[in-house]
Amino acid sequence: MVSQTVVLAAAAAALGLLIGGLIGHFGTPTISQEDKEKIRTMERLVADKWVTEEYLNKRIIDLVDPDKLRDNLNVSSEAGRGVVYVNFGRVEDFDKLEELGVNVSGCIAIARYGKIFRGNKLLHAQERGAKGMILFSDPGDVAQEGVADDDVYPYTWWLPGTGMQRGTTYMGSGDPLTPGWSSTANAYRLTMEDADLPKIPCQPIGYDDARVILEKMGGMAAPDEAWKGGLDGLAYNLGPELLDEYSGYTLHLDTHNTFQQYTSYNVIGTIKGEVEPDRYVLIGNHRDAWGFGASDPSSGTAQILETARVMGQLMADGWRPRRTLVFCSWGAEEYGLIGSTEWVEEHVEKLQERSVMYLNTDTCASGPILHVPGSPLLWDAITDITKMVPGVRQGPTVYDELKDYYTAMNKTSIEMTTLGSGSDYAPFSFYCGIPCLDLWFRRDKNKNEISIYPSYHTGYETFYMVDHNVDPGFRIHQGCSRLASLMLRFFADSALIPYSLEQLPKTIKEGIDSFKKNGKRDELIKIYENYGKFVL
């Protein structure tokens, strides 16, 4: 250390002598401007700025803002005081945790998919004070025959542990910045702060990653078997504490979502009606997907293209429909039914005045069983059509296959159901009041009681999956296109629109009676009363 100091001192002295000599040499009236610049350069090179500009140190100390550091960390990485397992993330699940004394506030909640829409799960977590949410597909739902390599994709339709279901958590429909009106180029838009968007981050993961988290969780054990999934060897503890050996761990939820504005396109094609061109029979399907989207929505897209080709061939043979057929290819459905909702909002008056019915074919093929929820006005019509179409499995007709399915469930008749939300029929049905039908083939619940097909919205929803595991030979697709084509022509060509007029009031009465019988009517009225008071 001493020798280094001596060397440095000697070097400094030598440098000082050099500078002094230069000054002495150039310190005459004849010194040039070029020489003066060399001297200034040398002075800058040897100056100790730490000493000469010491004021900068205090300035730096004063400028560091802990609040801004906290904000930066909050944006880039959400950290919770623990992880709380919330089962399916339903209201009753959060109520159970509260009853057990498990506080969700300030935690990252982890829930399995199923039972309710993912957006409701996130909303419930947000309302209970959670800082973020993780969603995963549990093997009890998506890998019911085991998680070994030969039990999952590509050998079966079951999902491997790396499968991650993506999807919107937006609770509304359409552009969040233009709720209730069309999102045109010059439309008024809400600010991001005023838009009804989730306030906490959410990240989907596969069940392999979920195991890594859940196996470290301590706290109270799952209250009953209904809270346990299919991850072998896991207790499905509730948290938020971690097991003793992991007490020093902290879970960070880091998402990379961005808010951007894009132009999305709908593609609309028409076959003009010969007699009633101002009356519309519509069919629609969206194009966008979370990945390959071989079932959702591409199986529906494959069907609508084939249906259009069939209708075109009929026209080439001399046919023209009585009423106008409208073929709709929607954009941005997966972000909250944006394409269809905005189109309906823009053309709502014309659609209400002129539309006969809307047929939706989001996911034509995800299993072998026909499912056609819709307006009661269309129930008899689609039932009649199923009796005309050859079966997609072993039955003589689709109707016979459907009847056999319900018989196996100990049902005396085929059950027809009304529509919920979740696809592009929603704005037509609930905003316009147009009779709608949602046409698709889904899983066989007699064989697998699962929420939806295992590869739904994952990277494993591939053409290979559909071609080898869901619909080898494409008979389901064929049946779907047949049903769609016939249904369109039925409503486009019938002189009298074939509504089931007696079904609508009957179904409404049954619904009201059911609410009264099970006590849901009073609960519903209470919810709306509370909501009204909250708004006021």
Side-chain angles (χ1 to χ4, degrees), residues 143-164:
Q144 293 187 348
E145 295 178 5
V147 298
D149 289 346
D150 56 356
D151 290 326
V152 295
Y153 181 91
Y155 303 103
T156 73
W157 79 330
W158 298 112
L159 191 67
T162 52
M164 178 182 69

Side-chain angles (χ1 to χ4, degrees), residues 137 152-153 159-165 204-209 458-460:
S137 299
V152 295
Y153 181 91
L159 191 67
T162 52
M164 178 182 69
Q165 182 195 130
I205 61 175
Y207 58 79
D208 281 351
D209 289 332
T458 73
Y460 296 99

Side-chain angles (χ1 to χ4, degrees), residues 78-84 102-110 125 128-133 200 239-241:
E78 284 284 343
R81 62 180 175 84
V83 185
V84 176
V102 179
N103 185 11
V104 178
S105 180
C107 295
I108 297 171
I110 182 168
R128 303 299 176 113
K131 295 191 67 175
M133 192 169 209
I200 61 175
E241 300 86 0

Side-chain angles (χ1 to χ4, degrees), residues 161-267:
T162 52
M164 178 182 69
Q165 182 195 130
R166 292 159 288 184
T168 183
T169 55
Y170 176 45
M171 292 294 290
S173 296
D175 185 341
L177 303 186
T178 62
W181 64 92
S182 182
S183 181
T184 55
N186 299 315
Y188 169 76
R189 286 176 167 79
L190 301 178
T191 64
M192 291 296 299
E193 292 73 21
D194 292 333
D196 189 19
L197 292 167
K199 302 298 189 294
I200 61 175
C202 183
Q203 177 65 39
I205 61 175
Y207 58 79
D208 281 351
D209 289 332
R211 174 183 287 276
V212 175
I213 297 173
L214 293 173
E215 68 186 2
K216 296 176 175 60
M217 288 180 60
M220 191 177 300
D224 53 55
E225 290 300 315
W227 280 68
K228 295 182 179 180
L231 285 168
D232 292 339
L234 286 186
Y236 285 84
N237 292 331
L238 302 181
E241 300 86 0
L242 299 178
L243 295 172
D244 290 342
E245 58 265 40
Y246 303 108
S247 59
Y249 284 47
T250 302
L251 181 68
H252 290 265
L253 176 57
D254 194 3
T255 63
H256 302 277
N257 298 318
T258 58
F259 293 106
Q260 300 182 37
Q261 185 171 318
Y262 288 97
T263 299
S264 180
Y265 295 92
N266 297 322
V267 180

Side-chain angles (χ1 to χ4, degrees), residues 436-511:
C436 297
L437 196 73
D438 191 30
L439 170 63
W440 60 307
F441 285 79
R442 64 177 183 174
R443 72 273 187 202
D444 185 345
K445 288 191 173 184
N446 288 324
K447 293 182 178 179
N448 305 118
E449 183 55 52
I450 58 178
S451 57
I452 199 166
Y453 60 99
S455 61
Y456 174 68
H457 281 195
T458 73
Y460 296 99
E461 191 178 337
T462 63
F463 174 80
Y464 181 94
M465 170 67 76
V466 173
D467 187 37
H468 287 74
N469 299 324
V470 176
D471 190 21
F474 279 67
R475 292 185 63 187
I476 296 173
H477 284 78
Q478 182 184 43
C480 189
S481 185
R482 285 168 167 170
L483 290 167
S485 299
L486 288 171
M487 192 71 175
L488 289 182
R489 204 184 84 72
F490 192 22
F491 279 84
D493 273 355
S494 298
L496 295 177
I497 299 174
Y499 290 147
S500 312
L501 295 178
E502 72 284 356
Q503 289 281 15
L504 185 58
K506 178 183 175 183
T507 305
I508 292 174
K509 184 179 185 303
E510 289 174 352

Side-chain angles (χ1 to χ4, degrees), residues 12-26:
L15 187 58
L17 290 173
L18 175 61
I19 293 174
L22 288 171
I23 293 175
H25 175 71
F26 294 113

Side-chain angles (χ1 to χ4, degrees), residues 47-65:
D48 187 346
K49 295 174 69 70
W50 178 263
V51 175
T52 60
E53 299 179 4
E54 188 177 5
Y55 68 94
L56 290 176
N57 299 336
K58 186 176 185 305
R59 176 66 173 158
I60 290 170
I61 291 171
D62 291 342
L63 283 173
V64 175
D65 186 339

